[in-house]
Amino acid sequence: FRIALVTPMGQVADEPAHIARADGLIYGQLFGRRVQLRDPATNEMFPDSGVLANDAIMTTAGTELAPGPPRKLSAARLARARAVRWSKHLWVDVCPNTVQYFPLFYLPGAAGIALAHVAGLSPLAALFAGRLCMLCGYLAMGFAALRVAGWGRGVLFSLLLLPMTISLGASFNQDGQLIAATALACALLTRDPGAERVMRWSGVA
């Protein structure tokens, strides 16, 4: 939980794009949308893709992410992130790689953002609430994997506790959810195929 709350927003791998994907679910963006962009070099239009997301969320997602090499989060940048207020304006965040990912793994983050907004919290607080919900999803699937595994618990436990895995699980990056879901699927497939067919087929699903 400390990793989710201490790591500056956006400073996990590709997190702003994953935030856009999660926030887009609130506005019904299951599959994203096509957009036309202009190439500044040739002045020609070319197709791309992204998701519709809240302007305040996307502004906050990048405010704590300083450009250039990694550096300590400054008080000024933190103050700017805290000062962002909710907006009714939506815009398309171009994220052609992220928009193709399975939407189910972003539901915890979307729920955290939505609930925090309804509760009157700031966009920055909403993003941290979304991170915590993503972490809870990761922990729930990881715990279930360790509970149902017929064998190989040590391997699964080590996989789930790798520093990079925990970093992803405590962020908006869907890779953390994907790793936990894979661990759960593998755990279900270790059950007796003759006596526990339901668990085995659940692993396949």
Side-chain angles (χ1 to χ4, degrees), residues 22 25-26 30 102-113 133-134 177:
L25 293 180
I26 300 173
L30 288 177
F102 191 44
L104 179 64
F105 290 139
Y106 292 102
L107 284 178
I113 293 173
C133 287
M134 292 288 280
Q177 307 295 310

Side-chain angles (χ1 to χ4, degrees), residues 89-102:
H89 179 246
L90 305 178
W91 55 278
V92 176
D93 183 80
V94 178
C95 49
N97 294 326
T98 310
V99 73
Q100 64 185 311
Y101 293 149
F102 191 44

Side-chain angles (χ1 to χ4, degrees), residues 1 25 55 86 138 140 169:
F1 286 96
L25 293 180
D55 177 62
W86 287 104
Y138 171 81

Side-chain angles (χ1 to χ4, degrees), residues 51 72 113 134 158 168 178:
V51 292
K72 184 178 180 180
I113 293 173
M134 292 288 280
S158 299
L168 293 170
L178 182 60

Side-chain angles (χ1 to χ4, degrees), residues 114-174:
L115 290 174
H117 191 180
V118 171
L121 301 180
S122 69
L124 182 60
L127 288 180
F128 280 107
R131 263 192 186 172
L132 289 175
C133 287
M134 292 288 280
L135 177 58
C136 286
Y138 171 81
L139 292 174
M141 286 189 287
F143 179 75
L146 296 175
R147 287 280 294 175
V148 304
W151 48 270
R153 284 191 179 92
V155 174
L156 293 176
F157 186 72
S158 299
L159 170 70
L160 292 167
L161 282 187
L162 288 172
M164 179 55 79
T165 307
I166 294 175
S167 172
L168 293 170
S171 76
F172 276 91
N173 192 314
Q174 63 100 42

